[in-house]
Amino acid sequence: MEICRLPVSATQRGKLISAGYTSLSSLSSVSPFDLARDLQTSESEASEILKAASQSGRLDKTDGSHAIIAGAQTAWDMLHEEDLSRRITTSCADLDKILGGGIACKEVTEIGGVPGIGKTQLGIQLAVNVQIPVDFGGLGGKAIYIDTEGSFMVERALQIAEACVEDMSEYHEFVRKNFQLSQVQVQPKDFLKNIFYFRICSYTEQIAVINYLEKFISEHNDVKVVIIDSVTFHFRQDFEDMALRTRLLSGMALKLMKLANKYSLAVVLLNQVTTKYSDGSFHLTLALGDSWSHACTNRVILYWNGNERYAYIDKSPSLRSASAPYSVTGKGIRDSASNCKRIKIM
């Protein structure tokens, strides 16, 4: 059960969400004293909130017991589902290869790297590619793009959409002599209509939108990818209470994993880098610390090797560690070219 359904006042719900208590499970082990401190309220009011949460939790367990039992599945079923799982192409053959065919649905994939490496470009590319029709090997879905930095460029999305339509037209001409294939009927503007864009200006807005996603996706069940660009930005600004930050991030990660699994969609988290001191020297690492790395199924690190961009599988339960070159071109993400330079796209 979510906090938004808890039978308390709207003000109390707002305080709970702002303090990182977004589900009943997050209240299960907190004391009235600690809750009162986090909410900056009286201990008696905190006790009333915990009492309401306890009663609601008992009701949830009573109503949901059969659902939990019915939801069990065998490992064989899980393997069969994994074999049937669809993937979103990145438009780079080498990158798709190390990813097992592309970005997997029902999984959370974190993609991080230094500024200018192409994280947002890849995010926009995935928001377009998820819409490739099934007849052309795509998912025929829609995308949610959550922008925390203001880096999404609609003009760039249109460029990538135009290139995608061009690629589909070339593919159609190539195979039409031997196979019956539907005509390319989508237009670049259709791709833009199927990207649902959320602009986020604070960490509380980010939490609110992620809490709202399940309702939104249930009303738009053709959404097949959720992209957050970046998941890090607002959690690196003026956060003195690290315990609060950890609690907020953990709750957010659990919700995103649940969404990915429940609605068979891909969740892509774009992340920034920071410096870390170890073994007597500083080196770059993805932001939010080591504990955050457990929030994703797969972790991909983008980096420069000379003038060439590379992607590296840093963590995955099913993919082996490997690297692949890629390029950011006027058409979007593409196979690497040996003379690739750090060019400005727009």
Side-chain angles (χ1 to χ4, degrees), residues 7 13 15 46 81 132 221 249 262-263 272 276 324 331:
R13 283 196 294 269
K15 286 182 178 180
E81 284 183 6
I132 296 174
N221 55 15
L249 289 169
K262 182 176 181 179
Y263 294 99
Q272 301 171 343
K276 181 180 179 181
K331 292 185 175 182

Side-chain angles (χ1 to χ4, degrees), residues 88-120:
I88 308 168
T89 178
T90 63
S91 293
C92 172
D94 290 334
L95 185 50
D96 281 350
K97 184 177 180 180
I98 66 170
L99 288 169
I103 301 295
C105 291
K106 301 189 77 172
E107 293 182 359
V108 178
T109 300
E110 180 185 23
I111 301 174
V114 297
I117 196 65
K119 299 185 297 294
T120 296

